[in-house]
């Protein structure tokens, strides 16, 4: 009987707009009773059981994608450009097809998996200047469970929350530089949400790439501050230790992953003749990178400081000989 009542209430709530007048009083009565059930701390408050949650879930699920259509080619191209040119912070030319309030309600009801598929294709089109959408994006960013296991969704949330990520990392670097008496390793447990950011970097290549790019910009701007020279490789090591070794290089941009494979080698375990050959070939790649992008070169050497003397020592020797 309860299940039948739930279905009936869902139908009442879901009456098309043009027919609202037919059962408007009944709709208002149902909604008023739902509000009473949801009012925490009031006299006569009732516990919300599975039947009530089931009713709300069914209603939200029916309405989450109301009026939405399959992605057009233009819409997919727009999403591709927004992801590819994330550094330009492009705004989508398309509006979101989902209601952020309904999505938030489903998250509150812990309806894991129901909204994720639709949200994963729509999130890239959200407007960070829209208060309701920005509020939900912030919740998705701060609550790791909200995005499920979808790396694509976490990638898109990271792109949309770029400004927040920049503010956070700028504040973090300021904390590291100013508090010189604090050991670098302890920063990861003492600074709020830093380990959560590490976990996001493990799960999302976009988050990792944006984070290391921002850190590199701050590192260069501060004239390679000594404290950041210690912090950045420590950050990389902690991320690396939390991801399978064969996947770590994939977190980097594709044009750098092959160089990272070469740099990520313990030179001390190599015997002398082979070590010299290995270093020579790796330095050739670094020199090409020096020509194409000095910022990328500085970033990788800051991640692998053991290569600093190898690279700049050989460069200095060559200049002296010439």
């Amino acid at each position: 009987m309860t299940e039948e009542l739930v279905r009936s209430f869902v139908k009442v709530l879901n009456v098309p707009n043009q027919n609202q007048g037919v059962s408007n009083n009944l709709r208002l009565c149902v909604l008023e009773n739902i509000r009473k059930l949801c009012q925490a701390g009031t006299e006569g408050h009732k516990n919300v059981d599975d039947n009530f949650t089931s009713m709300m879930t069914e209603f939200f699920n029916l309405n989450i994608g109301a009026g939405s259509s399959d992605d057009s080619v233009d819409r997919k191209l727009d999403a591709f450009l927004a992801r590819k040119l994330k550094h330009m912070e492009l705004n989508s030319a398309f509006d979101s097809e989902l209601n952020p309030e309904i999505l938030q309600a489903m998250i509150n009801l812990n309806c894991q998996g129901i909204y994720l598929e639709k949200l994963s294709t729509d999130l890239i089109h959200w407007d960070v200047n829209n208060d309701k959408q920005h509020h939900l994006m912030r919740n998705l960013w701060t609550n790791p469970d909200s995005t499920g296991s979808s790396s694509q969704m976490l990638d898109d949330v990271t792109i949309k929350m770029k400004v927040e990520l920049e503010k956070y990392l700028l504040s973090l670097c300021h904390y590291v530089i100013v508090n010189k008496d604090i050991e670098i390793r302890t920063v990861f447990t003492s600074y709020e949400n830093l380990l959560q950011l590490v976990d996001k970097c493990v799960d999302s290549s976009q988050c990792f790439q944006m984070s290391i790019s921002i850190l590199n910009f701050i590192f260069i701007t501060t004239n390679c501050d000594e404290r950041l020279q210690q912090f950045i490789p420590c950050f990389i090591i902690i991320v690396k230790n939390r991801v399978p070794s064969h996947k770590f290089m994939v977190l980097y941009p594709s044009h750098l992953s092959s160089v990272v494979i070469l740099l990520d080698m313990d030179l001390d375990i190599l015997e002398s003749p082979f070590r010299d050959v290995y270093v020579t070939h790796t330095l050739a790649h670094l020199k090409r990178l020096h020509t194409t992008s000095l910022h990328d070169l500085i970033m990788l050497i800051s991640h692998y400081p053991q290569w600093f003397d190898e690279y700049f020592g050989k460069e200095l020797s060559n200049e002296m000989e010439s």
Side-chain angles (χ1 to χ4, degrees), residues 43 64 101 152 173 187 198 206 227 234 259 267 275:
E43 185 178 354
I64 187 173
E101 292 177 326
Q152 180 64 71
C173 290
V187 173
V198 169
Q206 289 280 17
R227 290 279 292 174
C234 189
V259 185
L267 297 178
R275 184 187 188 281

Side-chain angles (χ1 to χ4, degrees), residues 59-74:
F59 173 70
F60 288 139
N61 195 29
L62 286 171
N63 285 273
I64 187 173
S68 65
S69 58
D70 293 336
D71 281 357
S72 65
V73 173
D74 289 340

Side-chain angles (χ1 to χ4, degrees), residues 137-148 154-155 157-158 161 165 168-169 172 186-208 211 231 235 238-239 242 251:
M137 281 187 283
R138 178 183 286 276
N139 287 347
L140 292 171
W141 173 251
T142 56
N143 182 4
D145 296 329
S146 299
T147 56
L154 183 53
D155 285 349
V157 173
T158 305
M161 298 300 290
L165 182 59
Y168 178 82
L169 289 175
L172 168 63
T186 63
V187 173
F188 290 86
T189 53
S190 63
Y191 199 79
E192 186 179 9
N193 297 329
L194 181 51
L195 287 178
Q196 286 187 15
L197 176 61
V198 169
D199 289 335
K200 287 185 176 73
C201 288
V202 169
D203 295 330
S204 165
S205 59
Q206 289 280 17
C207 186
F208 179 75
S211 296
F231 171 77
F235 179 86
I238 292 178
V239 172
R242 295 191 176 208
L251 293 177

Side-chain angles (χ1 to χ4, degrees), residues 15-39:
V15 172
N17 291 333
Q18 61 267 29
N19 296 328
Q20 274 189 348
V22 176
S23 55
N24 193 47
N25 290 334
L26 182 55
R27 285 166 56 84
L28 291 175
C29 180
V30 172
L31 289 171
E32 182 61 30
N33 280 282
I34 289 174
R35 290 191 187 98
K36 288 180 180 179
L37 284 171
C38 292
Q39 288 175 352

Side-chain angles (χ1 to χ4, degrees), residues 218-247:
I218 298 173
F219 183 57
I220 294 173
T221 304
T222 57
N223 196 26
C224 303
D225 181 85
E226 182 180 355
R227 290 279 292 174
L228 294 184
Q229 286 183 40
Q230 300 172 41
F231 171 77
I232 291 175
C234 189
F235 179 86
I236 297 300
I237 289 172
I238 292 178
V239 172
K240 180 183 175 183
N241 289 340
R242 295 191 176 208
V243 70
S245 58
H246 64 283
K247 291 185 178 180

Side-chain angles (χ1 to χ4, degrees), residues 80-104:
F80 171 79
L81 292 175
R83 293 175 180 127
K84 194 69 174 177
L85 304 176
K86 55 184 178 292
H87 59 284
M88 298 179 64
E89 299 182 30
L90 294 179
N91 289 322
S92 175
F94 294 84
D95 294 329
S96 169
E97 296 179 335
L98 304 179
N99 187 324
E101 292 177 326
I102 290 179
L103 287 169
Q104 185 63 67

